[in-house]
Amino acid sequence: MGGAAVEQGPGGVKAPDGGWGWAVLVGCFVITGFSYAFPKAVSVFFKELIREFDVGYSDTAWISSILLAMLYGSGPLCSVLVNRFGCRPVMLVGGVLASLGMILASFSTSIIHIYLSTGVITGLGLALNFQPSLIMLNRYFSEKRPLANGLSAAGSPVALCCLSPLGQVLQYQYGWRGSFLILGGILLNCCVCAALMRPLVAPKTLKSKELEQDNEKEEAEKKKPKAKLLDFSVFKDRSFVIYTVAASIMVLGLFVPPVFVVSYAKELGNEDTKSALLLSILGFIDMFARPTCGLIAGMKWVRPRCVYLFSFAMIFNGITDLIGSQANDYTTLVIFCIFFGLSYGMVGALQFEVLMAIVGTERFSSAIGLVLLMEAIAVLVGPPAAGRLLDATHNYMWIFLLAGCEVVLAAVVLATCNFLFIKKEPSASADKLENITVTEECSKGPDVNDEEEKGAREEQEKETKEELKEKEKEERIRPASLIVDSQEVEKFLKEPTQNGDMANSPETSL
């Protein structure tokens, strides 16, 4: 099992479920926080941007919308780059672009400049960090993957709790231009996270070294003509198609309340700092909801039915939007943010876990890129459409009602289609996968030990054979040398006797 071919170990590398994976999890935590919290945190500056450039709510909403659209729409590009160059180089470039976009935005003279710098450049930089970090997390965790996804997803509310009040403070101290410049410097931490994404390498044994070299050559020759930078075969999977359609509908309304809740509170006559505190409350609840939901999703009887838990989370989120649309004071908005943070955290923790369970690790790098591309259209339309509706009605109730209906519809589509068309295939496949992994681990364990023992024995036999051959050669050489030496000694001994006989012979005496 492996994601991109660039960083896949020879013969497939088993996820360690720990070790350096915890460092990868920390990097993914920070990247997820920046990727999801930044579009919401930017909404703190909307009032100042409206005054600065004399635009409406729908115009400023395009900033967050373009950010999210780039985060989602760049999915196929990220998949191709990761499959070609690997996760770490792509993330390093993305960190530089994310910082550069915010720095350029601080010098903007029109709202279009902010669209291009903050929306396009920073959005692309965050996309080049977000998707590869998820791919690396999927490679390092298998059995503990639901928990790892929940912990990494918790980076979004943690960053939101920090960035929202930080943006408010920076705005008072340095204005929106100075704030954008400082935020650009903060985004350089993406490059630090990229350095943590170490490729997964298979451990080498005595016997496997030679076998791996041969397998690598054979696999390289086989994979060269079949190499795919983007695998479209995932669309043949019915579960993947249903998930993609439901996720696209969900995204239409999922990000609308966090973008407009601060402006909603300000419209009711609350102070700016008090209004920005709503995002911190939402993020604080979301922070604990995601790891908790990850633990629940990792249970044996829940994990095969994770799709239905995801559907429940979306219904919970949609109903919260519908009820929150009737808020008319700050207290009701606080209650809304508590329940929205809980439901939003559940959706965030399960969103990519369900996708990983559907497509598997091998196709995940391509599947996530294609899913994010389909969702990008919805992300690009959702918040601006809500802003247009707000400009027309001047009532926040309608945009919250619309967002809630869209999320509930997505939940109904996912649960109904999965029950009618997929039936029990997800649970059966999950059980089969668990059985296969258990049997493979049980069968591979002794084989690996036997191979190591065989390899050690063969090496010892080779050494003993070579020593025997050398001894035989020495024994063959030694008798020959002794024979030669004895012959020379006999000649040497004979020569004096012959000389003495010749001297004493009668012929010589005569």
Side-chain angles (χ1 to χ4, degrees):
M1 296 175 70
V6 174
E7 296 180 356
Q8 181 181 0
V13 183
K14 183 182 176 182
D17 279 314
W20 189 256
W22 299 116
V24 174
L25 177 59
V26 171
C28 191
F29 176 88
V30 176
I31 294 297
T32 302
F34 283 144
S35 300
Y36 277 115
F38 226 80
K40 305 181 190 73
V42 171
S43 64
V44 173
F45 303 98
F46 281 1
K47 284 282 187 181
E48 292 296 324
L49 295 176
I50 290 172
R51 296 172 188 170
E52 179 79 16
F53 301 112
D54 192 19
V55 293
Y57 283 105
S58 60
D59 296 322
T60 54
W62 274 99
I63 300 173
S64 297
S65 186
I66 294 173
L67 260 170
L68 291 171
M70 291 301 298
L71 180 65
Y72 284 82
S74 303
L77 175 63
C78 294
S79 297
V80 171
L81 293 176
V82 167
N83 289 334
R84 179 65 181 85
F85 301 104
C87 292
R88 184 184 287 175
V90 174
M91 291 179 66
L92 287 171
V93 174
V96 174
L97 289 177
S99 176
L100 180 63
M102 292 303 295
I103 293 172
L104 292 176
S106 64
F107 300 98
S108 298
T109 57
S110 68
I111 195 70
I112 297 176
H113 293 166
I114 296 181
Y115 292 161
L116 296 175
S117 55
T118 302
V120 177
I121 299 177
T122 300
L124 178 61
L126 292 175
L128 294 178
N129 278 274
F130 175 63
Q131 186 174 327
S133 66
L134 286 178
I135 294 172
M136 290 299 295
L137 187 70
N138 188 35
R139 293 177 186 171
Y140 271 90
F141 291 92
S142 178
E143 295 179 0
K144 298 179 182 178
R145 191 179 63 201
L147 176 60
N149 276 317
L151 291 172
S152 66
S156 174
V158 171
L160 188 60
C161 288
C162 298
L163 289 177
S164 180
L166 176 63
Q168 199 70 49
V169 171
L170 292 176
Q171 183 177 350
Y172 282 127
Q173 295 292 330
Y174 306 103
W176 70 269
R177 294 183 185 274
S179 302
F180 277 25
L181 188 64
I182 295 172
L183 291 174
I186 294 174
L187 284 176
L188 281 175
N189 287 290
C190 293
C191 297
V192 180
C193 297
L196 297 175
M197 303 299 165
R198 187 172 66 186
L200 194 60
V201 181
K204 296 184 178 181
T205 59
L206 297 173
K207 179 80 178 285
S208 60
K209 291 182 180 179
E210 298 177 357
L211 294 175
E212 284 176 355
Q213 292 177 356
D214 297 333
N215 292 332
E216 284 178 355
K217 293 179 182 179
E218 293 177 1
E219 289 177 359
E221 293 175 357
K222 292 179 181 179
K223 288 182 179 180
K224 280 182 181 179
K226 297 180 180 179
K228 292 182 180 180
L229 295 177
L230 196 61
D231 187 5
F232 290 95
S233 64
V234 291
F235 284 107
K236 296 180 181 179
D237 189 345
R238 191 178 299 175
S239 301
F240 175 77
V241 175
I242 294 172
Y243 174 87
T244 304
V245 173
S248 300
I249 299 173
M250 175 193 70
V251 170
L252 279 171
L254 184 65
F255 300 112
V256 170
V259 171
F260 288 97
V261 69
V262 175
S263 299
Y264 191 4
K266 291 179 181 179
E267 190 71 17
L268 294 175
N270 296 289
E271 297 178 355
D272 292 348
T273 54
K274 193 175 180 180
S275 300
L277 183 63
L278 291 173
L279 285 179
S280 299
I281 296 172
L282 190 156
F284 182 78
I285 301 299
D286 190 5
M287 186 190 313
F288 295 97
R290 297 194 183 211
T292 304
C293 187
L295 284 172
I296 296 172
M299 295 180 179
K300 293 182 179 179
W301 62 276
V302 176
R303 192 171 185 182
R305 301 167 184 83
C306 199
V307 174
Y308 297 104
L309 181 61
F310 184 42
S311 301
F312 169 76
M314 286 193 289
I315 291 176
F316 185 16
N317 184 266
I319 293 175
T320 302
D321 293 342
L322 296 176
I323 298 175
S325 64
Q326 306 301 317
N328 54 11
D329 57 6
Y330 188 79
T331 303
T332 52
L333 282 178
V334 170
I335 296 173
F336 163 75
C337 287
I338 292 173
F339 284 95
F340 184 86
L342 180 61
S343 61
Y344 189 75
M346 294 176 65
V347 172
L350 296 171
Q351 182 177 3
F352 296 108
E353 169 60 27
V354 173
L355 179 60
M356 291 175 185
I358 289 173
V359 300
T361 309
E362 293 181 355
R363 298 187 297 172
F364 180 71
S365 59
S366 297
I368 188 175
L370 296 172
V371 167
L372 293 178
L373 176 62
M374 300 299 292
E375 293 179 354
I377 301 173
V379 170
L380 190 62
V381 173
R388 185 74 64 182
L389 181 63
L390 180 61
D391 291 335
T393 61
H394 299 285
N395 192 341
Y396 284 87
M397 179 186 70
W398 297 108
I399 63 175
F400 279 77
L401 285 174
L402 178 62
C405 292
E406 290 166 345
V407 177
V408 170
L409 177 61
V412 172
V413 169
L414 180 62
T416 305
C417 293
N418 188 78
F419 180 76
L420 293 177
F421 299 107
I422 308 301
K423 294 183 180 179
K424 295 183 180 180
E425 288 182 4
S427 60
S429 61
D431 294 335
K432 288 180 181 178
L433 286 173
E434 290 179 0
N435 293 331
I436 290 170
T437 52
V438 171
T439 53
E440 283 180 354
E441 289 175 2
C442 293
S443 61
K444 286 181 180 179
D447 291 340
V448 172
N449 294 329
D450 293 338
E451 288 180 359
E452 292 179 358
E453 291 177 0
K454 289 179 181 178
R457 290 176 182 175
E458 288 179 359
E459 288 183 356
Q460 290 178 356
E461 290 178 359
K462 287 180 181 179
E463 291 177 356
T464 53
K465 287 180 180 180
E466 290 177 356
E467 290 177 358
L468 290 172
K469 288 179 180 179
E470 291 177 357
K471 288 180 180 179
E472 288 178 359
K473 288 180 181 179
E474 290 176 358
E475 289 176 358
R476 291 176 182 176
I477 293 170
R478 284 176 183 173
S481 62
L482 289 171
I483 293 167
V484 172
D485 294 337
S486 62
Q487 290 178 354
E488 291 179 354
V489 171
E490 289 178 357
K491 288 181 180 180
F492 180 77
L493 293 172
K494 287 180 180 179
E495 285 178 357
T497 54
Q498 289 177 357
N499 294 331
D501 293 340
M502 288 178 66
N504 296 324
S505 65
E507 296 178 352
T508 54
S509 61
L510 291 172

